[in-house]
Amino acid sequence: MEALLELSDLIAQNPSAFYEKLSWICSRCPPSDALLSDSPRVSRSQLNAVLAIARFLSKSADSVEPRPKAVVLEFIRSIPSSFNQSFWPPTYGNDSITSFYTDFLGYVSKATEITPDFSAEVAVYTGEVVASAISSGGGDSGISRVFLMVFSKNFLPIMPSDANKLVDMVIERYLMTGSCAPREHLQGNSDSSAPHSTDGSIPQNGGSHDSGSRVGDDNISSWKSSATSYGSGILWKSSADQLGPMFGFNDGGGGGEILLKQQVSGFEEESLESLEKQAIAFELLAHILDKARIDSWLWDQVRSIAKKQLQSLLIFVKSLGSLDSEGKVAKKLVFETFALLMDAAEACILSIWRKLRVCEELFSCLLAVLGKIAVAWKGQPLRVLLIRLKPLVLTVCAQTDPYDSSPNSMFETVSKTMCGIIEACWTKERAPVDTFIMGLTASIRGRNDYEEQENKEKGVPPLQLNGIRLLANLNVAVKKSEIVDMILPLFIESLEEGDASSPCLLRLQFLDAISRMASLGFEKSYRETVVLMTRSYLSKLSNAASPPPEGSAPAPEATTERLETLPAGFLLVAKGLASSKLRSDYRYRLLSLCSDVGLAADSRNARSGADFLGPLLPAVAEICSDFSPTGDVEPSLLKLFRNLWFYVALFGLAPPIQNSSVPSKAISTTVSIAGSVGTTAIQAVSGPYMWDKQWSSAVQLISQGTPPLVS
């Protein structure tokens, strides 16, 4: 055999010089009439000759000699006969047959890649050969399955018109059992409701697709004949009729638990042969979809089945708990499974289709399984799994557009998965979780060399902006003071001394994050955050008093921080605090800030006072919403209220004069000579209100929570 292959390689280098040798090898191949007989049989020497010719074509398929191509095409047509053991030499077992298929299909596949004309000729026969292999039942089904396993690795071209038929057959014969089966099949009534086709055509399946998508064309008859000849006469009915809606873990009608038990039972009892068939099926589907288009209704079936297969992984994960957690085999199985799913999830992130809903759904399913695997283990395995998960999280942060206001499904999926892992492992597996969070925080907080990039105008990398938001989301979701205490100091350090100490987008993202963490109401983090935010706001007032150097303008981020980010943060904290102790403290701090702002603005330029005091008013209104103005008030707090109203009046922040009569439900005044709350509507000087309407509304709300200023 080796000598024959060497001769083939020599001929490929110069076919014209060795024309006689090439003809001699062709003459040793099985005659076409013998291959098309009822019971063909080939010898070892004939198979070797076929391999030699196929190898020659893989190196010189553009040869003008027609005989080598004809020999290979004739053998391809005879492949359905090879599914019977009688086709092969008596000494050929499964290993030898597998080896021949591997070599032959590998050579032919390479030849089709380098010669388009030969590729088109092969495609004519591929569909029927594959259909016969899928349908094979009369022969040795083991051989046909071996062929499909090899074929799935060395796929040959197919006719576009064959794609729908092959996909339909793969679904029907290989994916209608086991964990891929739909609800009807598992319940044992898969045939009870589907309208079977009797004319060999595919029903329209509730949708409209052109008549060209029907399987009932001229070629289908020969395929049905092949299926009957080589198989057991399968019923030719559309998988669209058989599949129906894929069932979920909970159908909302009380039957979810029953269906889940059925699927678990089916999963446990699934044979190795069934799993092997499913693997072949998905390989074939991937190749078919890569080489040809299929009808949309059939594509939806493929997607649904693939989704169901991924969902079944969740059940597989449940069985991991029964494995010996200390066993090397179990650990190896888990790590390998985790790595494969990680690769698939990362492929979704980096794909150009990542914004499509189907890709997002696939990613969500993969992350759900990864999360289940992680929480099923403990100790060192969990630590390893979390280390492998970190790059995936960072990749999602790097790929998400931080300026896109629309929700990002993959980003939300990662947030949800991380929260699930932390909540499930926090009590018993605190150390690996701590390490994971700290490592993630360090990676996100790092400079990522963006200041050393050639194009600095690109700004802060999305990894940092999204990563900071991700950690803030995580803290808000899990609400654990220990995690806040881990992350907050690093964020504050960046704001005070690091990359975010000067106005920039990164600083705005950090400020938003720390205000969200402070709103959780953990005393230590609340106090540290409010001190920093207060100091930052006052610094903006100081900077405004000093004109910028000639020829320069203040950074737009500085203006955004003063007018939007910090006021929004103050308001968020006011809304989030639930402790009466912290709300009282925060009320005092906000009123003190307003007093300091008013004093500083008045001493410099009263005309700018409203611009600095106004943004703080919504937060003050919120923190005063639960304050009783009729109770005893400390003198220091009463003084702060007086100062606030003095500056509200001074800067023209009170509501405008009402043009109409006073409403029946008047707004309480802040000043009462008699020491009690009056009913006179608050009014400012006449004229249009120059400031934000929210400030005017905030002033009215503050008035309802203001104690009598004069007693």
Side-chain angles (χ1 to χ4, degrees):
M1 177 62 184
E2 289 76 9
L4 195 60
L5 294 179
E6 290 179 4
L7 177 60
S8 173
D9 293 343
L10 183 62
I11 297 173
Q13 295 175 8
N14 193 351
S16 58
F18 297 96
Y19 175 76
E20 293 183 357
K21 295 294 185 182
L22 184 61
S23 298
W24 175 77
I25 298 177
C26 289
S27 67
R28 293 173 59 86
C29 294
S32 59
D33 56 345
L35 288 176
L36 297 178
S37 64
D38 292 338
S39 300
R41 179 184 293 272
V42 295
S43 64
R44 181 184 294 271
S45 61
Q46 288 176 328
L47 292 175
N48 291 340
V50 170
L51 285 181
I53 294 298
R55 184 182 177 99
F56 163 77
L57 292 177
S58 71
K59 297 177 179 293
S60 184
D62 57 349
S63 172
V64 296
E65 299 298 329
R67 180 57 180 156
K69 294 180 182 178
V71 167
V72 171
L73 290 173
E74 289 168 359
F75 192 86
I76 291 175
R77 290 183 63 189
S78 72
I79 285 180
S81 299
S82 72
F83 303 149
N84 292 298
Q85 184 65 52
S86 60
F87 176 88
W88 302 94
T91 58
Y92 263 50
N94 280 343
D95 291 344
S96 299
I97 295 174
T98 302
S99 178
F100 175 84
Y101 281 146
T102 301
D103 293 340
F104 178 73
L105 293 176
Y107 294 146
V108 175
S109 177
K110 187 174 181 180
T112 60
E113 292 174 359
I114 62 178
T115 308
D117 291 343
F118 183 59
S119 175
E121 293 177 301
V122 170
V124 173
Y125 303 107
T126 301
E128 185 173 350
V129 169
V130 176
S132 298
I134 296 173
S135 306
S136 180
D140 190 327
S141 60
I143 296 179
S144 63
R145 192 158 63 250
V146 166
F147 168 80
L148 288 174
M149 289 179 61
V150 176
F151 185 83
S152 66
K153 306 296 182 184
N154 302 277
F155 200 82
L156 302 183
I158 63 171
M159 299 287 289
S161 58
D162 291 341
N164 280 354
K165 307 162 190 174
L166 291 178
V167 170
D168 194 69
M169 291 189 70
V170 169
I171 293 175
E172 180 180 349
R173 294 303 296 251
Y174 279 13
L175 297 178
M176 287 299 295
T177 58
S179 60
C180 294
R183 176 189 288 124
E184 304 93 280
H185 190 85
L186 285 176
Q187 291 179 331
N189 60 351
S190 60
D191 297 330
S192 62
S193 59
H196 298 166
S197 171
T198 58
D199 61 353
S201 63
I202 295 292
Q204 294 297 310
N205 195 31
S208 59
H209 48 276
D210 57 36
S211 58
S213 67
R214 297 169 65 90
V215 182
D217 55 14
D218 295 338
N219 205 24
I220 194 63
S221 300
S222 63
W223 282 38
K224 291 169 68 177
S225 299
S226 299
T228 304
S229 299
Y230 297 106
S232 57
I234 62 170
L235 286 175
W236 191 273
K237 57 186 176 183
S238 167
S239 54
D241 296 330
Q242 302 179 48
L243 277 175
M246 303 300 287
F247 76 92
F249 290 108
N250 190 342
D251 60 4
E257 184 178 354
I258 297 176
L259 292 174
L260 178 58
K261 291 180 179 179
Q262 288 179 336
Q263 193 180 30
V264 171
S265 176
F267 182 82
E268 293 174 346
E269 297 174 0
E270 202 161 18
S271 65
L272 181 61
E273 178 181 346
S274 175
L275 294 174
E276 189 179 71
K277 285 183 177 181
Q278 291 176 31
I280 293 173
F282 284 111
E283 289 272 10
L284 292 175
L285 290 176
H287 285 296
I288 294 171
L289 296 176
D290 183 55
K291 294 185 178 293
R293 296 178 63 89
I294 63 174
D295 290 342
S296 59
W297 61 270
L298 197 55
W299 166 256
D300 287 340
Q301 292 184 38
V302 174
R303 183 178 68 85
S304 296
I305 292 175
K307 180 179 178 180
K308 176 53 58 181
Q309 183 73 352
L310 288 171
Q311 288 176 334
S312 70
L313 288 174
L314 293 172
I315 301 175
F316 168 75
V317 170
K318 293 179 182 295
S319 68
L320 293 178
S322 63
L323 298 175
D324 178 10
S325 60
E326 302 300 326
K328 294 182 179 180
V329 176
K331 290 181 181 179
K332 181 180 180 181
L333 171 64
V334 170
F335 290 158
E336 289 179 351
T337 303
F338 197 86
L340 290 172
L341 295 175
M342 283 282 293
D343 291 342
E346 188 173 44
C348 291
I349 301 170
L350 301 177
S351 169
I352 59 174
W353 313 110
R354 61 181 175 271
K355 292 187 178 181
L356 294 181
R357 182 175 59 84
V358 290
C359 191
E360 292 176 343
E361 288 179 356
L362 172 60
F363 180 79
S364 177
C365 189
L366 291 170
L367 261 289
V369 177
L370 288 170
K372 291 291 185 180
I373 293 177
V375 301
W377 290 78
K378 58 183 179 180
Q380 184 61 23
L382 174 61
R383 190 183 299 272
V384 173
L385 296 178
L386 291 179
I387 289 174
R388 294 187 178 185
L389 183 62
K390 189 179 78 171
L392 182 69
V393 175
L394 296 176
T395 301
V396 171
C397 291
Q399 291 292 323
T400 302
D401 184 0
Y403 309 108
D404 188 357
S405 58
S406 59
N408 183 281
S409 177
M410 290 188 178
F411 185 85
E412 298 302 325
T413 296
V414 167
S415 299
K416 181 179 179 181
T417 302
M418 288 178 57
C419 293
I421 292 175
I422 292 172
E423 290 175 343
C425 301
W426 184 256
T427 303
K428 297 182 179 180
E429 297 295 329
R430 172 79 177 274
V433 172
D434 282 354
T435 302
F436 173 68
I437 295 174
M438 288 300 296
L440 194 62
T441 305
S443 298
I444 291 172
R445 180 173 171 263
R447 298 174 67 91
N448 293 302
D449 297 326
Y450 78 89
E451 289 188 353
E452 286 72 35
Q453 292 176 355
E454 295 181 2
N455 299 323
K456 294 182 181 179
E457 65 274 7
K458 292 184 178 180
V460 187
L463 171 61
Q464 283 191 299
L465 296 177
N466 289 320
I468 296 167
R469 179 160 61 99
L470 178 69
L471 290 172
N473 291 349
L474 185 151
N475 277 282
V476 171
V478 300
K479 296 181 174 64
K480 296 188 182 299
S481 61
E482 298 88 346
I483 299 179
V484 175
D485 291 342
M486 278 194 290
I487 297 175
L488 186 64
L490 298 177
F491 282 11
I492 291 180
E493 182 181 343
S494 294
L495 285 165
E496 292 182 333
E497 302 175 1
D499 301 338
S501 57
S502 58
C504 61
L505 290 175
L506 184 63
R507 179 177 178 82
L508 299 182
Q509 194 70 56
F510 271 126
L511 287 171
D512 176 73
I514 65 171
S515 63
R516 294 177 66 190
M517 286 187 268
S519 69
L520 298 176
F522 302 125
E523 186 167 351
K524 181 174 180 294
S525 58
Y526 152 76
R527 295 186 184 280
E528 292 177 354
T529 300
V530 172
V531 167
L532 184 145
M533 293 173 64
T534 300
R535 188 165 59 244
S536 297
Y537 198 84
L538 289 174
S539 69
K540 297 296 179 291
L541 183 59
S542 301
N543 294 337
S546 304
E550 186 177 354
S552 64
E557 291 83 5
T559 303
T560 302
E561 178 180 340
R562 179 178 65 82
L563 293 178
E564 299 178 19
T565 308
L566 285 174
F570 283 124
L571 178 59
L572 185 64
V573 175
K575 290 181 176 180
L577 293 179
S579 165
S580 58
K581 174 185 175 182
L582 293 185
R583 290 189 67 83
S584 176
D585 177 83
Y586 191 51
R587 187 180 302 111
Y588 191 93
R589 289 177 183 271
L590 272 185
L591 290 172
S592 295
L593 175 60
C594 291
S595 183
D596 293 340
V597 167
L599 179 62
D602 184 31
S603 64
R604 291 178 174 85
N605 183 358
R607 296 179 60 184
S608 67
D611 195 35
F612 284 91
L613 181 60
L616 298 175
L617 295 178
V620 176
E622 178 65 32
I623 200 63
C624 291
S625 62
D626 60 340
F627 181 69
S628 175
T630 59
D632 294 334
V633 181
E634 295 181 1
S636 59
L637 184 62
L638 183 61
K639 179 181 179 181
L640 292 177
F641 270 111
R642 288 180 183 140
N643 291 344
L644 173 65
W645 284 108
F646 172 79
Y647 292 120
V648 166
L650 178 65
F651 300 144
L653 288 167
I657 293 177
Q658 302 289 337
N659 293 326
S660 58
S661 59
V662 177
S664 57
K665 187 177 180 180
I667 302 171
S668 60
T669 182
T670 61
V671 181
S672 175
I673 297 177
S676 60
V677 178
T679 58
T680 304
I682 294 179
Q683 296 180 351
V685 294
S686 61
Y689 194 71
M690 300 174 58
W691 315 111
D692 192 319
K693 292 182 179 180
Q694 292 184 348
W695 301 355
S696 174
S697 299
V699 171
Q700 297 180 55
L701 293 174
I702 294 171
S703 70
Q704 299 177 30
T706 300
L709 301 181
V710 178
S711 58

